[in-house]
Amino acid sequence: NVTTVAASGVGFEGDLQTGYRAAMCLRTAMRVLEEIGYADADLFDVYRAVKNSVDWKAYLGKHQTFTVSVRSSSGGDRAIRTRVKDAICDALVDQTNARPLPPSSPKAADLAIFVTYHNGELTIYRDLGGESLHKRGYRPPTIHASSLNETAAAATAICAGLAKSGSSGMIADPMCGSATLLIEAALLKLRIAPGLFRTSYPFEE
């Protein structure tokens, strides 16, 4: 059930299973975010708002890790990120007597937090994919990074009509480098979910 369509994204309602399926199956989305907290707060009150607006022990257990990403229209993303991290850590210490550790690379964090701050409105999300969904998982680490983002390649294939029934499914890429466009076109035509190649998702923990 789509609720909003904006320049920053599309909002929809559904249960957790719907969110997990979206993280695995959406081809052109960069992230699938579940809203878990909201508060009206000025920049100096971000710490309190984050600490008190979410029951953090329901999302993070002992010895689990988390990361924080911030998008703010007021600037100061680094300062906001620091306050959010401090608030989550202190809340968990108060609730569980344990402080979470930073994730060890290349292991993804158990919980990826995405925070937006706009005109005094603070919204806290759980990133169901854990990281950008353009990281499909089918590209070996020895292959150079593609200059064409995977989600953009999928969008190109959709705009070319490959998703339409009756389409011949033929596509040529004369500038083929790492074959991103061809791979995404093949996944689209064969109806293979792009997220199936990932080795894990945070919601599996």
Side-chain angles (χ1 to χ4, degrees):
N1 182 23
V2 175
T3 56
T4 57
V5 178
S8 58
V10 177
F12 64 93
E13 294 178 341
D15 56 17
L16 273 179
Q17 185 178 5
T18 301
Y20 298 153
R21 187 182 296 112
M24 179 172 291
C25 297
L26 288 179
R27 301 182 187 277
T28 60
M30 296 294 287
R31 297 182 184 275
V32 175
L33 304 174
E34 176 198 6
E35 183 177 333
I36 60 175
Y38 173 87
D40 293 318
D42 57 37
L43 285 173
F44 299 101
D45 208 24
V46 167
Y47 172 90
R48 180 201 59 79
V50 172
K51 185 178 181 182
N52 297 332
S53 61
V54 177
D55 180 15
W56 290 107
K57 69 178 184 299
Y59 295 95
L60 272 171
K62 289 185 177 181
H63 310 302
Q64 287 190 309
T65 61
F66 74 95
T67 57
V68 175
S69 299
V70 173
R71 185 174 63 206
S72 170
S73 62
S74 61
D77 289 13
R78 181 175 298 181
I80 295 175
R81 184 182 300 110
T82 299
R83 292 170 186 168
V84 171
K85 286 183 176 180
D86 289 345
I88 296 174
C89 286
D90 291 348
L92 287 169
V93 168
D94 292 345
Q95 295 174 350
T96 67
N97 294 319
R99 180 175 290 272
L101 298 174
S104 57
S105 183
K107 181 183 182 298
D110 298 298
L111 177 67
I113 295 296
F114 192 89
V115 174
T116 62
Y117 184 76
H118 179 66
N119 291 338
E121 296 182 343
L122 180 79
T123 310
I124 306 169
Y125 300 93
R126 175 171 63 149
D127 190 338
L128 296 182
E131 58 183 353
S132 177
L133 295 178
H134 85 276
K135 299 179 180 179
R136 306 294 206 208
Y138 58 65
R139 196 179 305 282
T142 54
I143 300 296
H144 66 83
S146 172
S147 58
L148 178 64
N149 184 290
E150 285 79 358
T151 54
T156 301
I158 292 173
C159 290
L162 293 182
K164 296 179 180 178
S165 59
S167 168
S168 66
M170 296 181 64
I171 184 170
D173 184 6
M175 303 297 291
C176 178
S178 53
T180 304
L181 178 58
L182 299 179
I183 293 172
E184 292 295 330
L187 295 179
L188 174 64
K189 195 60 183 175
L190 296 173
R191 299 179 179 271
I192 298 175
L196 286 177
F197 298 91
R198 283 189 169 196
T199 56
S200 65
Y201 286 88
F203 56 75
E204 294 179 321
E205 301 295 331

